[in-house]
mmCIF file of all heavy atoms in Angstrom:
data_model
loop_
_atom_site.group_PDB
_atom_site.id
_atom_site.type_symbol
_atom_site.label_atom_id
_atom_site.label_comp_id
_atom_site.label_asym_id
_atom_site.label_seq_id
_atom_site.Cartn_x
_atom_site.Cartn_y
_atom_site.Cartn_z
ATOM 1 N N ILE F 266 72.996 -51.431 -9.029
ATOM 2 C CA ILE F 266 73.230 -52.167 -7.784
ATOM 3 C C ILE F 266 74.364 -51.534 -6.986
ATOM 4 O O ILE F 266 74.259 -51.337 -5.768
ATOM 5 C CB ILE F 266 73.540 -53.649 -8.090
ATOM 6 C CG1 ILE F 266 72.303 -54.336 -8.660
ATOM 7 C CG2 ILE F 266 74.010 -54.376 -6.836
ATOM 8 C CD1 ILE F 266 72.536 -55.755 -9.144
ATOM 9 N N LYS F 267 75.445 -51.173 -7.673
ATOM 10 C CA LYS F 267 76.607 -50.616 -6.982
ATOM 11 C C LYS F 267 76.314 -49.269 -6.332
ATOM 12 O O LYS F 267 76.999 -48.882 -5.373
ATOM 13 C CB LYS F 267 77.766 -50.485 -7.965
ATOM 14 C CG LYS F 267 78.418 -51.827 -8.329
ATOM 15 C CD LYS F 267 79.615 -51.639 -9.244
ATOM 16 C CE LYS F 267 80.318 -52.957 -9.511
ATOM 17 N NZ LYS F 267 81.486 -52.806 -10.421
ATOM 18 N N GLN F 268 75.303 -48.558 -6.813
ATOM 19 C CA GLN F 268 74.940 -47.275 -6.203
ATOM 20 C C GLN F 268 74.474 -47.443 -4.760
ATOM 21 O O GLN F 268 74.637 -46.540 -3.934
ATOM 22 C CB GLN F 268 73.812 -46.614 -7.008
ATOM 23 C CG GLN F 268 74.234 -46.074 -8.362
ATOM 24 C CD GLN F 268 73.065 -45.430 -9.084
ATOM 25 O OE1 GLN F 268 72.086 -45.017 -8.469
ATOM 26 N NE2 GLN F 268 73.143 -45.358 -10.407
ATOM 27 N N PHE F 269 73.879 -48.597 -4.471
ATOM 28 C CA PHE F 269 73.261 -48.789 -3.156
ATOM 29 C C PHE F 269 73.990 -49.804 -2.280
ATOM 30 O O PHE F 269 73.740 -49.873 -1.077
ATOM 31 C CB PHE F 269 71.804 -49.236 -3.332
ATOM 32 C CG PHE F 269 70.969 -48.289 -4.127
ATOM 33 C CD1 PHE F 269 70.595 -48.589 -5.430
ATOM 34 C CD2 PHE F 269 70.566 -47.078 -3.585
ATOM 35 C CE1 PHE F 269 69.819 -47.708 -6.170
ATOM 36 C CE2 PHE F 269 69.801 -46.186 -4.316
ATOM 37 C CZ PHE F 269 69.431 -46.499 -5.614
ATOM 38 N N LEU F 270 74.886 -50.592 -2.847
ATOM 39 C CA LEU F 270 75.599 -51.612 -2.080
ATOM 40 C C LEU F 270 76.700 -50.976 -1.239
ATOM 41 O O LEU F 270 77.601 -50.341 -1.761
ATOM 42 C CB LEU F 270 76.184 -52.660 -3.030
ATOM 43 C CG LEU F 270 76.812 -53.900 -2.382
ATOM 44 C CD1 LEU F 270 75.767 -54.696 -1.610
ATOM 45 C CD2 LEU F 270 77.462 -54.775 -3.458
ATOM 46 N N GLN F 271 76.615 -51.155 0.081
ATOM 47 C CA GLN F 271 77.581 -50.560 0.990
ATOM 48 C C GLN F 271 78.811 -51.442 1.184
ATOM 49 O O GLN F 271 79.921 -50.954 1.360
ATOM 50 C CB GLN F 271 76.917 -50.311 2.356
ATOM 51 C CG GLN F 271 75.702 -49.410 2.302
ATOM 52 C CD GLN F 271 76.037 -48.005 1.856
ATOM 53 O OE1 GLN F 271 76.994 -47.398 2.348
ATOM 54 N NE2 GLN F 271 75.251 -47.478 0.921
ATOM 55 N N ASN F 272 78.601 -52.753 1.155
ATOM 56 C CA ASN F 272 79.672 -53.698 1.470
ATOM 57 C C ASN F 272 79.420 -54.970 0.672
ATOM 58 O O ASN F 272 78.361 -55.587 0.805
ATOM 59 C CB ASN F 272 79.661 -53.970 2.982
ATOM 60 C CG ASN F 272 80.703 -54.988 3.406
ATOM 61 O OD1 ASN F 272 81.399 -55.566 2.572
ATOM 62 N ND2 ASN F 272 80.794 -55.232 4.707
ATOM 63 N N ASP F 273 80.376 -55.384 -0.151
ATOM 64 C CA ASP F 273 80.156 -56.546 -1.008
ATOM 65 C C ASP F 273 80.642 -57.856 -0.396
ATOM 66 O O ASP F 273 80.766 -58.860 -1.098
ATOM 67 C CB ASP F 273 80.800 -56.330 -2.376
ATOM 68 C CG ASP F 273 82.330 -56.233 -2.299
ATOM 69 O OD1 ASP F 273 82.893 -56.340 -1.181
ATOM 70 O OD2 ASP F 273 82.955 -56.055 -3.369
ATOM 71 N N SER F 274 80.869 -57.873 0.908
ATOM 72 C CA SER F 274 81.261 -59.114 1.565
ATOM 73 C C SER F 274 80.173 -60.169 1.383
ATOM 74 O O SER F 274 78.996 -59.936 1.675
ATOM 75 C CB SER F 274 81.483 -58.862 3.064
ATOM 76 O OG SER F 274 81.735 -60.071 3.737
ATOM 77 N N ARG F 275 80.552 -61.336 0.881
ATOM 78 C CA ARG F 275 79.670 -62.461 0.613
ATOM 79 C C ARG F 275 78.549 -62.106 -0.370
ATOM 80 O O ARG F 275 77.479 -62.735 -0.371
ATOM 81 C CB ARG F 275 79.069 -63.025 1.907
ATOM 82 C CG ARG F 275 80.088 -63.854 2.682
ATOM 83 C CD ARG F 275 79.472 -64.559 3.877
ATOM 84 N NE ARG F 275 79.319 -63.673 5.016
ATOM 85 C CZ ARG F 275 78.172 -63.389 5.595
ATOM 86 N NH1 ARG F 275 77.051 -63.921 5.163
ATOM 87 N NH2 ARG F 275 78.122 -62.579 6.624
ATOM 88 N N ILE F 276 78.757 -61.102 -1.191
ATOM 89 C CA ILE F 276 77.777 -60.701 -2.201
ATOM 90 C C ILE F 276 78.465 -60.608 -3.563
ATOM 91 O O ILE F 276 79.449 -59.885 -3.716
ATOM 92 C CB ILE F 276 77.126 -59.347 -1.861
ATOM 93 C CG1 ILE F 276 76.279 -59.471 -0.583
ATOM 94 C CG2 ILE F 276 76.254 -58.862 -3.023
ATOM 95 C CD1 ILE F 276 75.671 -58.166 -0.116
ATOM 96 N N GLN F 277 77.941 -61.336 -4.524
ATOM 97 C CA GLN F 277 78.456 -61.315 -5.897
ATOM 98 C C GLN F 277 77.422 -60.646 -6.802
ATOM 99 O O GLN F 277 76.238 -60.983 -6.759
ATOM 100 C CB GLN F 277 78.714 -62.754 -6.374
ATOM 101 C CG GLN F 277 79.210 -62.849 -7.808
ATOM 102 C CD GLN F 277 79.294 -64.293 -8.293
ATOM 103 O OE1 GLN F 277 78.863 -65.217 -7.593
ATOM 104 N NE2 GLN F 277 79.844 -64.496 -9.478
ATOM 105 N N ILE F 278 77.864 -59.691 -7.594
ATOM 106 C CA ILE F 278 76.977 -59.009 -8.533
ATOM 107 C C ILE F 278 77.138 -59.644 -9.909
ATOM 108 O O ILE F 278 78.248 -59.788 -10.414
ATOM 109 C CB ILE F 278 77.298 -57.506 -8.614
ATOM 110 C CG1 ILE F 278 77.178 -56.849 -7.229
ATOM 111 C CG2 ILE F 278 76.370 -56.812 -9.602
ATOM 112 C CD1 ILE F 278 77.642 -55.410 -7.201
ATOM 113 N N ILE F 279 76.013 -60.008 -10.529
ATOM 114 C CA ILE F 279 76.031 -60.621 -11.857
ATOM 115 C C ILE F 279 75.144 -59.792 -12.787
ATOM 116 O O ILE F 279 73.949 -59.606 -12.504
ATOM 117 C CB ILE F 279 75.551 -62.077 -11.805
ATOM 118 C CG1 ILE F 279 76.458 -62.893 -10.858
ATOM 119 C CG2 ILE F 279 75.541 -62.699 -13.202
ATOM 120 C CD1 ILE F 279 75.965 -64.280 -10.585
ATOM 121 N N GLN F 280 75.711 -59.304 -13.861
ATOM 122 C CA GLN F 280 75.015 -58.426 -14.789
ATOM 123 C C GLN F 280 73.831 -59.131 -15.457
ATOM 124 O O GLN F 280 73.951 -60.249 -15.966
ATOM 125 C CB GLN F 280 75.972 -57.915 -15.872
ATOM 126 C CG GLN F 280 75.327 -57.137 -17.001
ATOM 127 C CD GLN F 280 74.744 -55.797 -16.556
ATOM 128 O OE1 GLN F 280 75.115 -55.259 -15.513
ATOM 129 N NE2 GLN F 280 73.842 -55.262 -17.352
ATOM 130 N N ALA F 281 72.687 -58.440 -15.447
ATOM 131 C CA ALA F 281 71.500 -58.872 -16.191
ATOM 132 C C ALA F 281 71.065 -57.682 -17.038
ATOM 133 O O ALA F 281 70.719 -56.623 -16.504
ATOM 134 C CB ALA F 281 70.381 -59.293 -15.238
ATOM 135 N N ASP F 282 71.074 -57.851 -18.326
ATOM 136 C CA ASP F 282 70.810 -56.737 -19.239
ATOM 137 C C ASP F 282 69.332 -56.380 -19.329
ATOM 138 O O ASP F 282 68.983 -55.278 -19.753
ATOM 139 C CB ASP F 282 71.322 -57.067 -20.646
ATOM 140 C CG ASP F 282 72.837 -57.253 -20.671
ATOM 141 O OD1 ASP F 282 73.522 -56.601 -19.860
ATOM 142 O OD2 ASP F 282 73.326 -58.047 -21.492
ATOM 143 N N GLU F 283 68.455 -57.316 -18.935
ATOM 144 C CA GLU F 283 67.012 -57.090 -19.082
ATOM 145 C C GLU F 283 66.297 -57.199 -17.737
ATOM 146 O O GLU F 283 66.792 -57.812 -16.800
ATOM 147 C CB GLU F 283 66.419 -58.116 -20.052
ATOM 148 C CG GLU F 283 66.992 -58.039 -21.471
ATOM 149 C CD GLU F 283 66.481 -59.166 -22.338
ATOM 150 O OE1 GLU F 283 66.806 -60.335 -22.044
ATOM 151 O OE2 GLU F 283 65.745 -58.871 -23.298
ATOM 152 N N VAL F 284 65.113 -56.599 -17.689
ATOM 153 C CA VAL F 284 64.266 -56.654 -16.496
ATOM 154 C C VAL F 284 62.859 -57.059 -16.926
ATOM 155 O O VAL F 284 62.310 -56.496 -17.877
ATOM 156 C CB VAL F 284 64.210 -55.296 -15.770
ATOM 157 C CG1 VAL F 284 63.228 -55.356 -14.596
ATOM 158 C CG2 VAL F 284 65.591 -54.893 -15.273
ATOM 159 N N ILE F 285 62.285 -58.032 -16.262
ATOM 160 C CA ILE F 285 60.877 -58.375 -16.487
ATOM 161 C C ILE F 285 60.031 -57.442 -15.629
ATOM 162 O O ILE F 285 60.114 -57.471 -14.397
ATOM 163 C CB ILE F 285 60.600 -59.843 -16.135
ATOM 164 C CG1 ILE F 285 61.368 -60.761 -17.104
ATOM 165 C CG2 ILE F 285 59.100 -60.147 -16.211
ATOM 166 C CD1 ILE F 285 61.186 -62.238 -16.835
ATOM 167 N N GLU F 286 59.242 -56.602 -16.285
ATOM 168 C CA GLU F 286 58.443 -55.607 -15.581
ATOM 169 C C GLU F 286 57.175 -56.235 -15.008
ATOM 170 O O GLU F 286 56.748 -57.317 -15.419
ATOM 171 C CB GLU F 286 58.070 -54.457 -16.532
ATOM 172 C CG GLU F 286 59.256 -53.815 -17.242
ATOM 173 C CD GLU F 286 60.162 -53.019 -16.304
ATOM 174 O OE1 GLU F 286 59.757 -52.783 -15.147
ATOM 175 O OE2 GLU F 286 61.261 -52.639 -16.739
ATOM 176 N N MET F 287 56.552 -55.519 -14.060
ATOM 177 C CA MET F 287 55.333 -56.025 -13.425
ATOM 178 C C MET F 287 54.207 -56.241 -14.446
ATOM 179 O O MET F 287 53.388 -57.141 -14.285
ATOM 180 C CB MET F 287 54.872 -55.057 -12.327
ATOM 181 C CG MET F 287 55.783 -55.019 -11.114
ATOM 182 S SD MET F 287 55.821 -56.606 -10.251
ATOM 183 C CE MET F 287 56.610 -56.126 -8.711
ATOM 184 N N GLY F 288 54.170 -55.438 -15.486
ATOM 185 C CA GLY F 288 53.091 -55.543 -16.464
ATOM 186 C C GLY F 288 53.357 -56.508 -17.600
ATOM 187 O O GLY F 288 52.491 -56.711 -18.459
ATOM 188 N N ASP F 289 54.523 -57.127 -17.630
ATOM 189 C CA ASP F 289 54.860 -58.067 -18.706
ATOM 190 C C ASP F 289 54.036 -59.350 -18.587
ATOM 191 O O ASP F 289 53.726 -59.804 -17.478
ATOM 192 C CB ASP F 289 56.349 -58.429 -18.663
ATOM 193 C CG ASP F 289 57.242 -57.309 -19.173
ATOM 194 O OD1 ASP F 289 56.714 -56.343 -19.757
ATOM 195 O OD2 ASP F 289 58.469 -57.406 -18.985
ATOM 196 N N GLU F 290 53.686 -59.942 -19.723
ATOM 197 C CA GLU F 290 53.014 -61.236 -19.721
ATOM 198 C C GLU F 290 54.028 -62.281 -19.260
ATOM 199 O O GLU F 290 55.074 -62.448 -19.880
ATOM 200 C CB GLU F 290 52.513 -61.550 -21.133
ATOM 201 C CG GLU F 290 51.458 -62.652 -21.182
ATOM 202 C CD GLU F 290 52.060 -64.040 -20.994
ATOM 203 O OE1 GLU F 290 53.101 -64.327 -21.626
ATOM 204 O OE2 GLU F 290 51.510 -64.831 -20.198
ATOM 205 N N PRO F 291 53.749 -62.986 -18.157
ATOM 206 C CA PRO F 291 54.765 -63.798 -17.478
ATOM 207 C C PRO F 291 55.475 -64.838 -18.338
ATOM 208 O O PRO F 291 56.708 -64.829 -18.426
ATOM 209 C CB PRO F 291 53.980 -64.458 -16.341
ATOM 210 C CG PRO F 291 52.870 -63.524 -16.064
ATOM 211 C CD PRO F 291 52.483 -62.959 -17.396
#
């Protein structure tokens, strides 16, 4: 996220260790 965020005004970043992929069973 930090690679692309230009300005963190009014933006809070919260770590998520996992990602649900498009092919995952919902």
Side-chain angles (χ1 to χ4, degrees):
I266 293 173
K267 286 183 176 179
Q268 289 180 23
F269 302 106
L270 188 63
Q271 302 296 313
N272 178 356
D273 65 0
S274 174
R275 284 187 280 120
I276 294 176
Q277 178 187 7
I278 302 173
I279 301 172
Q280 172 67 20
D282 297 329
E283 298 174 295
V284 175
I285 294 179
E286 306 291 348
M287 291 296 193
D289 285 349
E290 197 284 315

